């Protein structure tokens, strides 16, 4: 399973990757900006090797050196939902987030330092 993790904080990226890795055999790709994430998604589709899952924060820069965008993750979710087929997404944010009825969102995991997120990821990945 090929997973794109979109996170601008390298420590949080490492924690998310570690938690997801405990849930199965994954190939991880990292992006830190909205622009870079979209580019990696486009490249994977061109190579006929699309992502099986995206794990994204909600707040990160649009591009390198850019200001933080609190809606960057939501823009990426919208973009991933328009693909054929849509790419499933798990939101992982420090904020408590309720994904509502966005069709390609499997759910949300709350990131809190020094907590084990594995159980939350496992529950979402088991019931896509």
């Amino acid at each position: 399973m090929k997973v794109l993790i979109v996170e601008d904080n390298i420590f949080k990226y490492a924690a998310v990757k570690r938690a997801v890795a405990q849930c199965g055999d994954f190939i991880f790709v990292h992006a830190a900006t909205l622009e870079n994430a979209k580019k990696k998604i486009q490249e994977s589709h061109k190579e006929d090797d699309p992502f099986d899952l995206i794990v994204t924060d909600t707040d990160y820069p649009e591009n390198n050196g850019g200001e933080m965008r609190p809606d960057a993750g939501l823009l990426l979710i919208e973009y991933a939902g328009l693909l054929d087929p849509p790419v499933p997404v798990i939101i992982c944010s420090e904020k408590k987030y309720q994904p509502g009825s966005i069709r390609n969102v499997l759910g949300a995991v709350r990131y809190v330092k020094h907590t084990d997120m594995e159980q939350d990821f496992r529950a979402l990945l088991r019931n896509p």
Side-chain angles (χ1 to χ4, degrees):
M1 189 174 211
K2 186 174 167 184
V3 179
L4 174 64
I5 299 177
V6 187
E7 174 55 58
D8 63 312
N9 179 309
I10 196 68
F11 298 108
K12 184 176 168 193
Y13 164 74
V16 170
K17 180 180 175 184
R18 190 171 37 256
V20 174
Q22 297 299 315
C23 301
D25 189 22
F26 300 101
I27 297 168
F28 294 101
V29 177
H30 177 234
T33 67
L34 179 60
E35 180 180 79
N36 191 247
K38 286 182 175 180
K39 181 179 175 186
K40 289 181 185 285
I41 292 168
Q42 290 167 355
E43 288 171 357
S44 73
H45 269 71
K46 278 185 187 176
E47 296 168 0
D48 199 29
D49 186 24
F51 288 100
D52 299 298
L53 175 68
I54 297 170
V55 178
T56 185
D57 192 358
T58 54
D59 188 5
Y60 46 85
E62 184 168 359
N63 51 42
N64 288 335
E67 292 185 28
M68 296 297 279
R69 287 198 59 154
D71 63 341
L74 300 177
L75 294 172
L76 183 64
I77 291 166
E78 182 180 333
Y79 177 79
L82 296 174
L83 297 170
D84 186 24
V87 181
V89 176
I90 294 176
I91 299 166
C92 185
S93 176
E94 293 178 26
K95 302 169 190 163
K96 192 169 187 171
Y97 190 81
Q98 297 297 326
S101 61
I102 305 171
R103 71 181 178 115
N104 61 316
V105 175
L106 300 178
V109 173
R110 186 155 183 227
Y111 172 79
V112 180
K113 275 186 183 180
H114 309 296
T115 61
D116 184 8
M117 300 175 285
E118 177 189 340
Q119 186 175 5
D120 295 332
F121 277 110
R122 191 175 299 280
L124 291 173
L125 293 170
R126 197 174 315 169
N127 301 310

